[in-house]
Amino acid sequence: MQKKLIQIGIKLIAALLGVLLLGAMPGLFNGMNLDLSGYVNRLLNTIQQLIHYKDLTFDSGEGSYQLFPVLFEYLTYSIMILFGALLIAFLAGLSFTILTLRLPAPLQKGIRRIAFLIESLPDVFILALVQISVIWIYKKTNVLIMDVASFERIYTMPILVLAILPTFLFYRIMIHIFEEEFEKTYVDLARTKGVNATRILFVHIFRNAILSIYFHSRSIVWFALSNLFIMEFIFNLNGLTRFIFEHPTPEIFTVSCVLLFVPIFVVLNSFQLIAERASKEEALI
């Protein structure tokens, strides 16, 4: 366990260093020419400003304001939408997988085709479709499901909208992994011992599949993060990714990316540790 935690710590430091180097990239170019000395100067300047992070400011309108603690409000909002959407997508994907596996084979085939078609739709198309639908419903019924033109912080609809495509991605991954697990000998052994199908599915197969689901689904987190950036613009949401775009300085980019990356890194690695522990315990049963 100690060795694992050391590895995680090294990965975290390497990732933060990568963010720092990336944040100084604008200094690498002087017009169309590479400028290594400019990059080093920008990097050193960024490090110096991050050390004195309490003095960082951002411009808004005609005024200049302290970056902290205002930045935490933007960060908290984006993190709540992102993690809320991923949690719903994971649970919905798992529910759809279990329901699909309990249906007759011909029906399973039809559902998978529909899921594949929805998954293939561009994320921008989904977000625009939702926005148009909200406006259309408001014009027809005078019921405003979500305010798509204000700058207020709303949660329910952004979380549900952001969860749409990750749900189908989780579904495709889970159904593939679950089917592979069904073909393994320990499932046949459990059946011969009289273990009921529900226990086999929820206890043995799920615990064996959870680690594979984690490794296959890490890209979904980054996919959802890119969609969050698009959604904050389309829905006028006052989140961190929009804030970074509207205040494109190396210092704000670096400190914002670090603050956004750390909770994602912690959640992903915590999930991995839990999944590894669950799989190990299942192997010992």
Side-chain angles (χ1 to χ4, degrees), residues 124-140 145-146 148 234-235:
V124 175
F125 174 78
I126 295 285
L127 296 174
L129 185 64
V130 171
Q131 190 177 36
I132 292 169
S133 300
V134 170
I135 295 171
W136 183 81
I137 292 171
Y138 177 70
K139 291 180 70 175
K140 293 293 181 183
I145 299 174
M146 178 178 66
V148 294
I234 291 180
F235 289 160

Side-chain angles (χ1 to χ4, degrees), residues 188-200:
D188 294 328
L189 181 62
R191 285 172 176 157
T192 57
K193 287 184 175 181
V195 180
N196 64 62
T198 303
R199 182 174 175 79
I200 292 174

Side-chain angles (χ1 to χ4, degrees), residues 272-284:
Q272 182 181 357
L273 291 176
I274 294 170
E276 286 178 348
R277 187 176 181 84
S279 299
K280 191 177 294 183
E281 288 179 354
E282 174 62 23
L284 294 174

